[in-house]
Amino acid sequence: EPEVTQTPSHQVTQMGQEVILRCVPISNHLYFYWYRQILGQKVEFLVSFYNNEISEKSEIFDDQFSVERPDGSNFTLKIRSTKLEDSAMYFCASSPAHASQPQHFGDGTRLSIL
Amino acid sequence: RKEVEQDPGPFNVPEGATVAFNCTYSNSASQSFFWYRQDCRKEPKLLMSVYSSGNEDGRFTAQLNRASQYISLLIRDSKLSDSATYLCVANAGNNRKLIWGLGTSLAVNP
């Protein structure tokens, strides 16, 4: 069964450094998402992406965050200058069409900011 | 009022028990609803979509009540492997975003 893949599984970064999280969505899916989950808290929506542009973003997704689909397969989340509070699990998801359809998740990247 | 609200839990039940989770949503324009399961430190996995007429998948039954803006998940004959957090999810009504509940933790005990 096709799946969403994320790399790396764990990223440790010094505060203030830039980090790029990578995702390969399911190949025939058109909508891509990033979520984060701080330990013990709920899954929080960050951004959705369709047709090479952001279709929606949350208030968490400020100027420090950006997303890109640099080629036909990868979907990346960049955090420009990381803060301690960015430490969380970051999940990428994709869906065949819009958010009325189920989203399929990668197994996440654990980001630890020191 | 939270956008998607679930029973706080945790639920501790013996194997074989029937357990019900409830969820309410605040956006009357929401059209799509899902139950996801999340194991500790793992990604959410789709358990089932929730349809207006209610739907069943093996031991799992989901119900939707649009008038009350209420969704339920029933697990019959619970197994040890059902132990997880169950997340109620509704779309935001604009077909672009899913709103997640905090989740209800279930522990099935031998």
Side-chain angles (χ1 to χ4, degrees):
Chain A
E1 186 178 324
E3 56 182 29
V4 176
T5 56
Q6 289 186 242
T7 53
S9 56
H10 191 189
Q11 174 79 46
V12 182
T13 301
Q14 291 287 333
M15 187 172 61
Q17 296 296 306
E18 174 183 286
V19 65
I20 297 175
L21 309 182
R22 293 185 163 77
C23 170
V24 179
I26 294 172
S27 62
N28 63 346
H29 285 189
L30 302 178
Y31 277 76
F32 315 122
Y33 311 86
W34 281 102
Y35 292 85
R36 80 172 185 192
Q37 188 174 31
I38 296 169
L39 189 63
Q41 298 186 23
K42 70 174 185 177
V43 176
E44 298 176 289
F45 169 79
L46 293 178
V47 66
S48 59
F49 191 87
Y50 170 72
N51 200 26
N52 284 320
E53 60 182 24
I54 291 173
S55 54
E56 187 149 2
K57 59 184 180 180
S58 71
E59 59 276 7
I60 303 168
F61 194 88
D62 61 21
D63 292 344
Q64 294 299 311
F65 290 87
S66 62
V67 288
E68 195 177 31
R69 188 158 163 81
D71 53 43
S73 59
N74 289 285
F75 177 53
T76 62
L77 174 70
K78 182 192 289 187
I79 309 174
R80 250 177 285 280
S81 177
T82 49
K83 307 182 189 68
L84 293 176
E85 54 265 34
D86 293 327
S87 294
M89 198 75 172
Y90 287 80
F91 293 111
C92 174
S94 67
S95 64
H98 50 63
S100 289
Q101 296 185 329
Q103 296 174 16
H104 300 265
F105 281 72
D107 52 12
T109 294
R110 179 165 300 283
L111 178 62
S112 301
I113 307 299
L114 305 179
Chain B
R1 182 180 174 186
K2 292 179 187 171
E3 291 181 281
V4 174
E5 196 155 6
Q6 297 185 237
D7 283 350
F11 285 30
N12 283 284
V13 302
E15 268 187 291
T18 296
V19 61
F21 300 133
N22 303 314
C23 171
T24 56
Y25 60 96
S26 62
N27 188 342
S28 59
S30 293
Q31 294 293 322
S32 302
F33 309 92
F34 310 99
W35 283 101
Y36 279 75
R37 160 195 178 128
Q38 186 175 29
D39 293 283
C40 187
R41 296 178 179 261
K42 298 286 191 181
E43 77 276 19
K45 289 187 177 175
L46 178 69
L47 182 62
M48 56 199 305
S49 302
V50 186
Y51 302 117
S52 298
S53 54
N55 48 300
E56 187 173 308
D57 182 3
R59 298 182 293 109
F60 300 85
T61 301
Q63 294 278 350
L64 168 64
N65 183 323
R66 287 192 188 274
S68 303
Q69 295 182 201
Y70 172 93
I71 306 156
S72 65
L73 175 69
L74 186 77
I75 305 176
R76 288 180 299 280
D77 187 25
S78 52
K79 314 286 184 198
L80 296 177
S81 56
D82 294 334
S83 299
T85 296
Y86 290 82
L87 301 164
C88 176
V89 187
N91 82 321
N94 59 4
N95 287 338
R96 291 205 296 263
K97 185 169 79 171
L98 293 181
I99 309 296
W100 294 73
L102 188 56
T104 303
S105 174
L106 171 66
V108 180
N109 305 307

